[in-house]
Amino acid sequence: MTTTDNQLYTKCLIIGSGPAGYTAALYTGRANLAPVLIEGMQPGGQLTITTDIENFPGYPEGTTGSGLMDDMRRQALRFGADMRQGTVSSIDFSSRPFKATTEDGLVVNAETIILATGASARFLGLEDEKKFMGLGVSACATCDGFFYRGKKVAVVGGGDTACEEALYLSNLASEVYLIVRKNYLRASKVMQQRVFDKPNIKVLFNTNTVGLYGEEFLEGAHLVEFVGTPEENRFDLPIDGFFLAIGHTPNTSLFSSAIELDKEGYVVTDHPHTSTNIPGIFAAGDVADPYYRQAITAAGSGCRAALDVERFLAER
Ligand code: NDP
């Protein structure tokens, strides 16, 4: 790697700092590729805003999301990864080395790039969500739950994230409503059971949110149950906090004009490899994974991307 004031050259640039990015940095670092990793707006990625991690192998007593990410980061640093804070704002894919420019004007000339930009929380798309953002609406219970001690809150969604958020909030809030659009939870059985066992979580099945209300702060949600059926029923639920947990959208806007995406917006890779439609560009983690989306699978794909980079460079 060579450096001038605002220019870097590297054999491997990694964009993103979740389990995929840090694992790719660990492997490419150990392969003497001296990777540069741009950490993005949320160093450590989505796991830094989750609480306990019980399902990452190697932690028999569990660990915290931020603890796990800190461990991964330090492990990659130990093998020479050059971690940079900041966000990549553009990439020139037209020739190798590719040129990635950050918002601070740093230009990284990279023989290969691993895209590990992850995914972001999804919103329902209601105008009221924007109106009450930070004033009662949140997509992160572990970040904002603290503000709702002793209050009434709702979580939207029926997956593992929604159950996890509801359980977390149930230890702070007086009452938690889980708003589920279908008549079943999609979450794993163990999470469902934990939710059903909590006396202060009430699951509202077959229920959709159609609006939010309040003066300055959120005061409640307009709900409708059994929408489109003869039993359709509109009612208001007084709550102080409204937490979204309805899945994620892959973060691809940086490269969507050049990199092939599937119909849901995930990066298409050449399974079982991590290569994309542009030779020398690889993708790992949630940005390329609509199915598994686990820390361990993201870390695994970061490893695969690093090995693919090594082979790509060796062949040339
Ligand atoms: P999922 O895609 O699994 O679930 C999303 C939920 O949101 C579904 O119940 C879905 O409803 C609902 N939903 C989606 N859009 C809307 C909408 N517009 N209005 C109302 N409800 C909506 O996402 P998760 O984030 O929960 O989980 C992602 C992955 O991460 C999963 O594989 C999960 O297992 C994993 N995970 C694992 C954890 C753990 O093991 N500790 C913790 C958290 C996540 P519907 O079912 O009707 O489509």
Side-chain angles (χ1 to χ4, degrees):
M1 183 177 66
T2 55
T3 312
T4 61
D5 274 358
N6 66 342
Q7 294 262 346
L8 287 176
Y9 171 80
T10 181
K11 287 186 182 148
C12 180
L13 169 66
I14 299 159
I15 305 175
S17 58
Y22 285 152
T23 305
L26 166 64
Y27 271 75
T28 49
R30 287 189 84 243
N32 278 340
L33 297 181
V36 172
L37 185 150
I38 309 283
E39 294 190 286
M41 282 196 297
Q42 192 181 31
Q46 294 177 75
L47 281 185
T48 56
I49 56 168
T50 190
T51 44
D52 298 333
I53 307 288
E54 295 176 337
N55 53 8
F56 200 90
Y59 292 87
E61 307 305 325
T63 182
T64 61
S66 53
L68 178 64
M69 296 322 295
D70 195 45
D71 284 351
M72 284 193 191
R73 185 176 193 277
R74 287 191 294 116
Q75 198 171 354
L77 280 172
R78 195 178 134 213
F79 293 102
D82 180 358
M83 307 267 180
R84 303 276 173 148
Q85 288 185 343
T87 307
V88 175
S89 52
S90 66
I91 306 174
D92 179 355
F93 291 104
S94 59
S95 60
R96 279 181 54 226
F98 307 108
K99 274 190 175 44
T101 306
T102 70
E103 278 174 356
D104 302 334
L106 177 72
V107 178
V108 185
N109 300 280
E111 294 297 341
T112 62
I113 299 180
I114 297 174
L115 305 169
T117 47
S120 295
R122 219 178 261 163
F123 287 79
L124 292 171
L126 302 171
E127 268 307 305
D128 295 335
E129 283 172 317
K130 289 185 203 144
K131 183 175 165 194
F132 293 108
M133 196 49 155
L135 302 170
V137 170
S138 167
C140 176
T142 49
C143 315
D144 301 327
F146 183 76
F147 301 113
Y148 298 91
R149 276 173 305 165
K151 298 189 171 175
K152 290 184 182 174
V153 299
V155 176
V156 188
D160 280 316
T161 303
C163 290
E164 199 175 65
E165 306 257 289
L167 287 163
Y168 177 77
L169 288 165
S170 70
N171 294 324
L172 296 162
S174 60
E175 241 165 295
V176 179
Y177 298 94
L178 188 58
I179 303 172
V180 183
R181 66 179 174 182
K182 293 197 175 133
N183 64 353
Y184 61 89
L185 292 171
R186 191 198 285 206
S188 53
K189 292 284 177 241
V190 61
M191 293 299 272
Q192 292 191 27
Q193 199 53 53
R194 285 183 194 168
V195 162
F196 294 137
D197 288 345
K198 269 276 174 172
N200 65 338
I201 300 180
K202 185 169 183 212
V203 185
L204 306 178
F205 285 112
N206 302 301
T207 304
N208 286 289
T209 311
V210 289
L212 302 170
Y213 62 90
E215 289 291 321
E216 194 184 344
F217 295 96
L218 179 77
E219 290 171 26
H222 301 301
L223 303 182
V224 48
E225 58 180 351
F226 302 113
V227 68
T229 71
E231 296 91 60
E232 182 169 310
N233 174 36
R234 288 174 180 268
F235 63 103
D236 286 349
L237 181 71
I239 43 168
D240 305 291
F242 183 79
F243 291 84
L244 280 307
I246 58 168
H248 292 81
T249 303
N251 298 323
T252 56
S253 56
L254 173 65
F255 43 79
S256 55
S257 57
I259 301 294
E260 187 188 348
L261 307 177
D262 69 13
K263 62 181 189 328
E264 287 176 49
Y266 290 85
V267 175
V268 174
T269 53
D270 181 20
H271 184 78
H273 301 291
T274 60
S275 39
T276 68
N277 57 312
I278 299 182
I281 307 289
F282 303 83
D286 285 11
V287 75
D289 177 12
Y291 303 107
Y292 302 108
R293 296 179 292 189
Q294 302 295 301
I296 185 68
T297 55
S301 74
C303 161
R304 284 164 48 223
L307 297 177
D308 288 343
V309 160
E310 245 188 285
R311 264 178 224 134
F312 177 86
L313 292 171
E315 282 165 9
R316 283 158 183 81

